[in-house]
Amino acid sequence: MRVLALALGLLNVSFAYGQETHASEAEARALFETGSRAVEAGDLEDGIENLEASLALVPYLPTAYNLAVAHARAGNAVRAAELIHLIREGRFGDLNEAQQTDARSLAADLAPQVATIEVVVRGAEEPWLRVDEGEATSLAERDRLWLEPGFHRLNIGAEGFRPHRVGLRVAAGSDQTIRVDLLASPQGNLIVVAPQPTDRVEIMGVADGLGRIERTVPVGVYEVGLTDAPASRRSVSVERDRTQEVQLRLPEDPGPRRRRLAAGVSIAVILLGAVAIGVATSRSGGGPENDPVFGTIEALSTP
């Protein structure tokens, strides 16, 4: 594997000074070596796990290079394309001519497998982007992302601006640009408080934190709840120049409630049956339309 061999050749140069400076760099080196050996042996899952951990500790070029190759071999074209783009931009250090050639070659191999989207945002200094149900990430004034072929939902916004929602279907190998002008909107304050200070709460697509979060947001409807309890989520409306505070509660265990409901229904059926028997024995004429008890039974039996 030419690309992997090239990255391994950079190992001594990249990590030479780290051995005597920071423990995290020594740990990153060990993870790099373990991950690279696993990729060479064909254990892509273990190799990717170790290389991702190494890159998170120390963002070095050989790690990013081997990780891109591992993801490409595993069929994770989106992650591989992201890494190769960052490598070619010099985010992990300068590339020599041979490395640039290999990076271009790998990028060319990945391009037909993914959709490339360029996002251009105007009107806000610190916009964010959320793809499908993923986390919101910082978005520069002009940025790129790679998507699997298919339908995706993009949310683009910034603090103090009304979020812009885009739904798009993309094909493998496509390359398109999305331009968004964010418009300032009336704002209000939203405060979300958890039952316990250690509970994590979130304003979906906006912010999350422990115990209590407060944000100034554009007027509109937001979904809030406990991060670890999806059933606690609820929609709240934020009005202009007003503060909306939400006290969250843990969702009630549905088991006892269902049992109470079932018992109540059983009792109601017994009582109504008794009433119906009494009506049948005492009624001397007239149809159901003149019988208020029959009408009540009929309404209760309708979902």
Side-chain angles (χ1 to χ4, degrees):
M1 182 177 64
R2 183 180 177 189
V3 175
L4 182 60
L6 175 61
L8 286 169
L10 292 173
L11 175 62
N12 293 333
V13 175
S14 298
F15 285 93
Y17 68 88
Q19 296 175 17
E20 299 177 357
T21 54
H22 301 290
S24 61
E25 292 179 352
E27 183 181 355
R29 178 190 177 102
L31 289 167
F32 170 84
E33 293 174 340
T34 300
S36 296
R37 284 195 298 268
V39 173
E40 285 186 304
D43 187 352
L44 297 177
E45 182 177 355
D46 186 62
I48 288 172
E49 181 179 351
N50 282 278
L51 290 172
E52 288 281 13
S54 178
L55 191 66
L57 287 171
V58 181
Y60 281 157
L61 176 61
T63 313
Y65 228 80
N66 282 4
L67 184 56
V69 171
H71 275 297
R73 287 186 169 189
N76 305 327
V78 167
R79 177 59 173 153
E82 291 173 347
L83 287 165
I84 284 298
H85 175 71
L86 295 176
I87 288 169
R88 296 181 67 189
E89 279 196 334
R91 299 285 186 91
F92 304 102
D94 296 332
L95 282 71
N96 60 37
E97 186 174 345
Q99 294 162 359
Q100 291 174 3
T101 299
D102 283 335
R104 283 195 301 269
S105 177
L106 183 52
D109 289 340
L110 293 168
Q113 304 176 46
V114 298
T116 303
I117 308 295
E118 184 175 27
V119 183
V120 181
V121 181
R122 292 179 293 188
E125 293 184 358
E126 297 181 0
W128 50 259
L129 168 70
R130 185 181 181 197
V131 179
D132 298 325
E133 296 303 318
E135 296 182 359
T137 57
S138 177
L139 184 65
E141 181 180 352
R142 193 179 186 96
D143 209 346
R144 277 181 177 269
L145 65 146
W146 291 264
L147 301 173
E148 296 283 352
F151 183 80
H152 298 275
R153 290 184 175 87
L154 309 183
N155 283 349
I156 303 168
E159 187 171 353
F161 290 82
R162 188 183 302 278
H164 187 92
R165 295 174 174 84
V166 179
L168 71 161
R169 186 172 297 279
V170 295
S174 62
D175 191 340
Q176 57 185 289
T177 300
I178 296 175
R179 302 182 186 276
V180 175
D181 290 317
L182 293 178
L183 303 176
S185 61
Q187 298 176 322
N189 293 321
L190 179 56
I191 301 172
V192 184
V193 183
Q196 301 294 331
T198 55
D199 293 334
R200 181 167 290 278
V201 298
E202 62 182 337
I203 305 171
M204 299 297 292
V206 177
D208 62 68
L210 289 176
R212 181 182 187 276
I213 53 176
E214 179 176 355
R215 289 292 185 275
T216 298
V217 295
V219 168
V221 178
Y222 295 84
E223 188 175 2
V224 303
L226 297 168
T227 303
D228 297 328
S232 70
R233 292 178 184 171
R234 51 182 289 195
S235 296
V236 295
S237 179
V238 177
E239 300 179 6
R240 181 172 187 168
D241 298 329
R242 300 191 65 176
T243 296
Q244 173 76 315
E245 182 169 330
V246 182
Q247 298 282 341
L248 295 176
R249 292 179 175 82
L250 289 172
E252 181 183 358
D253 180 6
R257 183 171 181 269
R258 288 200 186 100
R259 288 192 289 273
R260 290 196 302 271
L261 180 60
V265 171
S266 299
I267 293 171
V269 170
I270 293 171
L271 291 175
L272 289 172
V275 171
I277 292 171
V279 170
T281 57
S282 63
R283 185 166 50 203
S284 60
E289 64 276 12
N290 298 320
D291 189 341
V293 175
F294 186 90
T296 302
I297 296 173
E298 191 173 51
L300 286 174
S301 64
T302 302

